[in-house]
Amino acid sequence: MIILGIESSCDETSVSVMKDGAVISSLTHSQEEHSLYGGVVPEVASRAHLEKIDVLTKRVIKDCNLTIDKIDLIAVTDSPGLAGALLVGVSFALGLHTAYGIPITGVNHLDGHICSLFIEHPNIPTPFLCLLASGGHTAIYRYESYGNCRCLGRTVDDAAGEAFDKAGKLLGFPYPAGRAIEEEAAKAVNADKSDNTDATDDKKESIKFPIARLSSPNSLDFSFSGLKTAVKNFISSNSEQYIKENRPQICRAFQEAAVSSLVNNLSRASKSYDDGIKTIALGGGVACNGYLRDELIKKFGADNVYFPSPKFCTDNAAMIAMAGLKMYNASKTRFPNVGPSRGIAEAI
Ligand code: KG4
Ligand code: ZN
C-alpha cells in the first residue's frame, strides 16, 4: 500500500511517500523566515506553504520513480494547527483527491507524532507510555493500540518546546531555540568536565530554576510558564555582562528543570499502573533533546526507552503517512476537515 503524507500544520511543509509502512521518500522544508519575529507568524506560514507544497510533492513522487496514479491513499494533517497553514495542505490534498480519484483521510497532527514511533520501531511493545513534547503540545498518553489511547496528563499552560523557545528568546537565541539551548547547556557540562574544581561546582549550584508541581499530588499535568518567568526574573535581576558570561550555566539549569518535570511525570505515570508498564516512548520536537533521552534511559533502562530519529521527531509528513496507515488498517479513515480536532490523541 502506497501512502502520500502531507503536513502543513505549522512552519514545516513536508511531503512523504510510504510503501507498506516504510518511508521511501520524504522532504521537509522548514520555514526560516519566522526567526526574524521570534515565533511563527500565521500569515507568513500560509504563504510559505503555498510556495513549496506542489514543488515538494512533485519531487518526492519523482524521487521514488512513481506516478501519482500509483498512490493508494492520501493522508493529510487537518487538525490541530494554524487554520491558514492547515488549509493549504488540505486544499492541495483535496485537489489531488478530486483530480485523480485517490482515497483520502484527514489525520490529527498529535496522532502523527505518536505514530512516528512505528516508523523505526514497528514492534514496540504495547501498552507503552508516550511523552509527546513539542512546540505546541505536551502530554503523556497510555497507548494500547490505534483507537485505544488515553491522555493521562497535559500541560496547563505552555508546551515544553514553547518554554525552550521563550527562554531562548530571553537569552538572545533565534526561534526555534530548543536545539541552541541544548548546545549551550552542553558547553557548561564540558567546562565542568575539563575543570572539575570546587569553584566550578559552586557556580553550578548557584543557578537553579524551579520544577513546577501542580496542586494535586496525583496530577500528571505539566506547567512550564513559571519556569519561563523564573528565567525572565533571573535575567532582569543580574547584569547583562553576568548573563552573557553565564549563558551556558543558565541554559543547563533551565534544561535540567524542564527535563526533570517531564521525567518526573513519566516516572509517576509508570508507577501508577499495576500492570507495571515499562515501555516509555517519546515523540515531538523536544524528543530530539539528548539530555532528555539520557535521563530517561538512566531512569527506565536503555531497553525500555524508544524514540524516533530527530527527523521524525520534529514535524514531518512520514509520521502523517504512518498515522494514515494505522487509520486505514483500523478502518478509521475520515474525510479531512479543518476545524475541531479529532484523533486518538485528543479522544479523552
Ligand atoms: O514537533 P515540532 O517540530 O513542532 C510542533 O508540533 O510544535 O516541535 C518543535 C519544538 C520547538 O519548540 C523546538 O524548540 C523544540 O521542538 N526542539 C527542541 C529540540 N529540538 C527541537 N527542544 C529541546 N531540545 C532540542 N534539541
Ligand atoms: Zn508537531
Side-chain angles (χ1 to χ4, degrees):
M1 168 150 201
I2 301 181
I3 303 181
L4 180 70
I6 299 178
E7 156 65 33
S8 71
S9 65
C10 191
D11 56 344
E12 258 93 26
T13 320
S14 184
V15 185
S16 183
V17 173
M18 174 171 277
K19 187 173 182 202
D20 300 330
V23 180
I24 38 179
S25 183
S26 192
L27 287 174
T28 300
H29 170 76
S30 296
Q31 303 171 359
E32 285 172 10
E33 38 277 69
H34 304 290
S35 64
L36 284 176
Y37 308 100
V40 179
V41 182
E43 180 62 21
V44 172
S46 308
R47 285 174 189 274
H49 286 306
L50 262 180
E51 275 171 23
K52 288 287 173 210
I53 198 150
D54 57 339
V55 185
L56 289 183
T57 306
K58 278 186 197 136
R59 270 182 50 200
V60 151
I61 291 179
K62 195 167 166 229
D63 280 358
C64 40
N65 294 321
L66 277 182
T67 47
I68 189 87
D69 54 298
K70 296 287 183 296
I71 306 286
D72 298 305
L73 178 70
I74 300 168
V76 60
T77 308
D78 65 353
S79 59
L82 302 170
L86 287 167
L87 270 172
V88 174
V90 169
S91 308
F92 182 77
L94 284 174
L96 295 178
H97 162 74
T98 309
Y100 298 98
I102 306 166
I104 190 166
T105 184
V107 173
N108 178 288
H109 181 80
L110 307 184
D111 291 7
H113 274 303
I114 296 173
C115 290
S116 68
L117 283 154
F118 300 113
I119 298 173
E120 294 158 303
H121 307 291
N123 300 319
I124 177 171
T126 51
F128 60 81
L129 289 177
C130 179
L131 169 69
L132 195 173
S134 71
H137 303 273
T138 298
I140 297 180
Y141 299 95
R142 180 188 164 106
Y143 182 100
E144 308 263 351
S145 61
Y146 192 86
N148 190 352
C149 178
R150 200 151 69 84
C151 180
L152 307 178
R154 51 164 54 106
T155 182
V156 296
D157 41 52
D158 291 348
E162 191 179 357
F164 272 86
D165 296 337
K166 286 179 174 171
K169 192 175 176 185
L170 292 166
L171 289 163
F173 294 110
Y175 172 87
R179 188 163 162 205
I181 290 196
E182 181 181 1
E183 286 169 359
E184 193 77 356
K187 289 183 195 167
V189 176
N190 291 336
D192 271 9
K193 275 188 198 147
S194 57
D195 177 21
N196 202 9
T197 62
D198 289 350
T200 316
D201 284 347
D202 284 351
K203 201 185 260 175
K204 185 191 168 191
E205 284 308 311
S206 66
I207 306 178
K208 279 242 181 294
F209 294 120
I211 302 163
R213 282 216 191 88
L214 293 162
S215 46
S216 157
N218 296 325
S219 169
L220 293 172
D221 285 342
F222 301 91
S223 169
F224 290 101
S225 65
L227 176 56
K228 172 204 64 194
T229 307
V231 174
K232 193 172 176 204
N233 291 342
F234 186 84
I235 291 173
S236 57
S237 56
N238 284 283
S239 71
E240 229 175 272
Q241 177 76 5
Y242 177 86
I243 298 299
K244 207 169 148 200
E245 281 169 7
N246 290 280
R247 201 162 74 156
Q249 287 75 13
I250 300 169
C251 287
R252 172 171 60 185
F254 167 84
Q255 182 172 258
E256 281 175 0
V259 165
S260 294
S261 160
L262 298 171
V263 175
N264 290 349
N265 272 17
L266 266 176
S267 177
R268 287 198 295 119
S270 79
K271 284 180 193 143
S272 66
Y273 281 104
D274 295 339
D275 60 1
I277 188 160
K278 287 276 179 297
T279 307
I280 305 293
L282 291 178
V286 180
C288 295
N289 188 282
Y291 177 69
L292 169 63
R293 293 175 174 210
D294 290 348
E295 289 299 293
L296 287 173
I297 287 171
K298 261 193 236 163
K299 180 137 248 155
F300 297 100
D303 291 346
N304 297 320
V305 180
Y306 292 77
F307 38 76
S309 302
K311 67 179 179 208
F312 297 131
C313 288
T314 49
D315 289 351
N316 68 89
M319 69 184 195
I320 303 304
M322 179 53 87
L325 178 62
K326 294 273 172 196
M327 293 171 88
Y328 178 84
N329 288 339
S331 303
K332 285 184 185 288
T333 56
R334 58 177 175 76
F335 201 70
N337 175 25
V338 177
S341 70
R342 293 174 293 169
I344 54 161
E346 293 192 309
I348 312 291

